Amino acid sequence: MISSFIPLDDCLGSTHTVRVHLDKPITKSLVDHLSAGASLKYYPHFPKPFFRIDHPCFIAQGVTGNDHFRITYLGVARPLVQDAMWSLFPGTTARLPVAPGQDSGVPTEDQTR
Amino acid sequence: MIYLNNAATSYPRLPQVVEAVKRSLLAPPQEPGRCGFEDPLMACRSAIAKLYGVADPLRVLLTTSATLGCNQILFGLPLQAGSHVITSCMEHNSVLRPLNELAARNECSLSVLPLEDDGSLSIDRVGGALRPDTRLMAFVHVSNVTGAIFPVQALALLAAGRNVPLLIDDSQGAGLVPLDLASLPGKVFLVAAGHKALQGPPGTGFFIVPDAVSLSPWITGGTGVHSVEDRQPPMLPYRLEAGTPNSCGLAGLLAGVTHVLETTPAVLAEHRRTLAEHLVKHLPSPWTHIAPGATADYRAGVVSLVHPTMKPSEIGLMLQEIYGIETRWGLHCAPLAHRHLGTFPDGTLRIGLGEGNTIEEVEQLIEALHQSGNLT
Ligand SMILES: Cc1ncc(COP(=O)(O)O)c(C=O)c1O
């Protein structure tokens, strides 16, 4: 399950980068689960195995063993990415952060903090 | 962790800086004028004045950031509607955004000068951009993107010859590339951040003014003294410093500047230069770096790297997550620099070498760049 989404300040404009925190460390089988219907590049030879998943609406990158990974997506794809995260991690209630100037549709708890 | 983001903020903190902040917080409050103690910020002003060869420490105004200093200078100068300002494509947003704000309010028009092909700033080009209505020249001393060092002496001569004030953003050069303000002709304003090579805590910075009257107060409010006056007191530092200061942060900045004065900028810069040159010399293929101008002067320890196919953000993440190496990717708050260098919109992977870094760490970075930059 996803415990939180932390927006990362990457000063790059239209793309959004968010760190996804999980309630347990990432395993290779989770990487495989995440990459269903997407393209996976997996580099086991690094000191920590690195993965990159090119999903139709986001790119996920990280290393196995960590309890977090990074997703990057275009601001306009936020609703799609939100749905994808909820379906990939059932039981998740955390919402993707809303970037300044981006209309979330519904006011969320994150916005009011 | 191998920390290579010193161009953003110096880390690890010097023990004496940590100690000074702690001591300041534990001591009874000593904000100037507010409790009857001797002004504890005076020592900080004096140390900074010494670093820049400024005789009167009251010309050193303490702030919470270089950005705040830039805003005080740019909004405090008499830049009437229609004034012309010359600046460069290498400026940080702390200069560019207030200038753009002024331009949007129709208070000035901007000439943003490019660099020459060899990465240098041409004094001839700056001279050619001067107009009868030019009221300010604003230039960075050391670029936070490439580490390029601008010819401040020549800029000051040019500006003084036309009676135009000069603003120098010394955020990256402070404590590394000496500037003797006493030797610069004309009206020179200087601004710098405290949390970089000067080793101060974040939330510290300063600006230096040529006299007490050139700037109008941009922020007005409490000073703890002269409370009977209904406007900002006319004398320095009160004229240009309102609000309770970050005295514990500035105590830390004093410890940092004292360390720089004792160690000397030459020694501190030499360490960074050695590390940067080692990195550049052994940079693995297919990486390239953006040379800091024609003289390849690496005193600031800033090396901006480019990979032909991988984005800086991707490599930066790999360095962080796989190797525990902290760098900085992106535009570094200097979008025009990246447009000029052809690295917009992804920016570069910036290596900011610092006092605490070692050759062994640079070796580890080189190996990590090799591995992560050659995915098959
Ligand atoms: C060249 C330059 N100018 C200005 C700044 C802004 O400093 P501050 O964050 O203290 O406003 C920086 C910091 O990154 C910088 O590198």
Side-chain angles (χ1 to χ4, degrees):
Chain A
M1 205 177 74
I2 294 170
S3 45
S4 62
F5 293 107
I6 307 289
L8 299 179
D9 170 20
D10 63 5
C11 78
L12 291 178
S14 61
T15 55
H16 295 283
T17 305
V18 171
R19 195 162 57 220
V20 182
H21 285 263
L22 306 175
D23 59 355
K24 51 180 181 292
I26 300 169
T27 57
K28 175 64 170 56
S29 59
L30 178 66
V31 171
D32 291 335
H33 169 67
L34 276 173
S35 53
S39 120
L40 168 68
K41 289 190 187 123
Y42 190 67
Y43 304 101
H45 62 284
F46 284 127
K48 289 178 179 178
F50 186 80
F51 64 85
R52 173 185 166 128
I53 298 163
D54 282 80
H55 191 274
C57 58
F58 63 86
I59 296 170
Q61 291 161 294
V63 302
T64 57
N66 279 359
D67 62 358
H68 60 268
F69 62 99
R70 188 176 87 175
I71 55 171
T72 308
Y73 53 93
L74 285 173
V76 290
R78 181 182 174 274
L80 295 174
V81 181
Q82 180 72 82
D83 286 349
M85 289 294 131
W86 282 343
S87 82
L88 284 164
F89 296 95
T92 296
T93 52
R95 284 173 175 271
L96 282 172
V98 180
Q102 194 182 13
D103 186 3
S104 70
V106 199
T108 63
E109 207 190 317
D110 333 22
Q111 274 178 291
T112 50
R113 243 184 271 145
Chain B
M1 188 230 290
I2 297 180
Y3 184 81
L4 299 174
N5 192 16
N6 291 279
T9 301
S10 278
Y11 185 83
R13 317 266 180 223
L14 293 180
Q16 59 269 46
V17 171
V18 176
E19 192 47 43
V21 173
K22 199 168 136 194
R23 229 182 305 119
S24 168
L25 280 172
L26 291 174
Q30 297 197 357
E31 273 80 29
R34 290 184 173 81
C35 54
F37 288 93
E38 198 182 318
D39 181 351
L41 305 184
M42 203 55 194
C44 189
R45 291 183 216 286
S46 298
I48 295 167
K50 191 166 172 198
L51 190 65
Y52 285 99
V54 172
D56 180 3
L58 288 176
R59 281 172 48 205
V60 178
L61 288 313
L62 303 168
T63 67
T64 52
S65 63
T67 297
L68 203 130
C70 286
N71 277 268
Q72 166 59 75
I73 294 164
L74 294 170
F75 289 100
L77 277 169
L79 289 174
Q80 301 97 334
S83 299
H84 174 239
V85 178
I86 303 175
T87 188
S88 88
C89 64
M90 299 306 283
E91 304 311 311
H92 189 275
N93 272 339
S94 57
V95 169
L96 286 178
R97 283 183 172 158
L99 281 179
N100 286 332
E101 193 62 34
L102 282 167
R105 297 178 193 177
N106 196 22
E107 286 179 42
C108 70
S109 63
L110 301 179
S111 291
V112 182
L113 304 184
L115 301 185
E116 304 309 303
D117 288 344
D118 65 2
S120 64
L121 177 76
S122 153
I123 290 298
D124 287 347
R125 192 186 282 276
V126 181
L130 277 162
R131 306 192 321 211
D133 59 348
T134 303
R135 295 286 174 270
L136 178 69
M137 288 167 42
F139 289 98
V140 74
H141 180 202
V142 176
S143 160
N144 67 318
V145 176
T146 64
I149 300 172
F150 277 11
V152 166
Q153 185 83 30
L155 287 168
L157 267 171
L158 185 67
R162 297 288 286 266
N163 212 12
V164 171
L166 173 67
L167 164 59
I168 304 165
D169 172 4
D170 197 26
S171 295
Q172 292 292 335
L176 295 173
V177 187
L179 268 186
D180 180 21
L181 290 185
S183 73
L184 298 184
K187 210 173 247 195
V188 177
F189 297 85
L190 181 136
V191 61
H195 60 288
K196 301 180 191 283
L198 294 182
Q199 298 277 1
T204 58
F206 59 89
F207 61 102
I208 302 177
V209 293
D211 53 55
V213 293
S214 289
L215 296 181
S216 306
W218 171 63
I219 294 178
T220 58
T223 47
V225 294
H226 304 281
S227 298
V228 73
E229 305 212 17
D230 54 8
R231 295 188 65 188
Q232 205 62 15
M235 69 292 275
L236 295 177
Y238 309 114
R239 177 177 169 84
L240 301 173
E241 278 180 10
T244 301
N246 174 15
S247 45
C248 57
L250 293 166
L253 178 60
L254 168 61
V257 176
T258 303
H259 164 76
V260 168
L261 287 167
E262 283 168 4
T263 314
T264 74
V267 168
L268 294 169
E270 181 59 17
H271 178 69
R272 281 167 160 84
R273 190 182 64 76
T274 305
L275 300 182
E277 285 182 350
H278 188 80
L279 169 59
V280 168
K281 189 165 166 209
H282 300 281
L283 196 60
S285 166
W287 287 96
T288 51
H289 86 290
I290 299 174
T295 53
D297 186 334
Y298 290 95
R299 276 181 287 173
V302 173
V303 183
S304 244
L305 301 178
V306 181
H307 189 280
T309 54
M310 296 177 74
K311 288 179 189 264
S313 59
E314 183 165 20
I315 295 264
L317 179 80
M318 293 175 81
L319 294 178
Q320 191 175 52
E321 298 286 8
I322 302 172
Y323 304 95
I325 299 178
E326 291 295 328
T327 60
R328 177 74 185 232
W329 60 80
L331 300 177
H332 318 111
C333 299
L336 299 187
H338 288 281
R339 283 188 194 275
H340 174 78
L341 298 166
T343 47
F344 191 87
D346 293 321
T348 56
L349 183 77
R350 185 183 69 185
I351 310 301
L353 297 154
E355 211 173 318
N357 293 128
T358 61
I359 283 280
E360 290 70 32
E361 289 178 332
V362 175
E363 295 279 348
Q364 288 182 54
L365 169 70
I366 291 167
E367 179 56 24
L369 287 170
H370 168 68
Q371 288 182 13
S372 54
N374 288 282
L375 298 180
T376 46

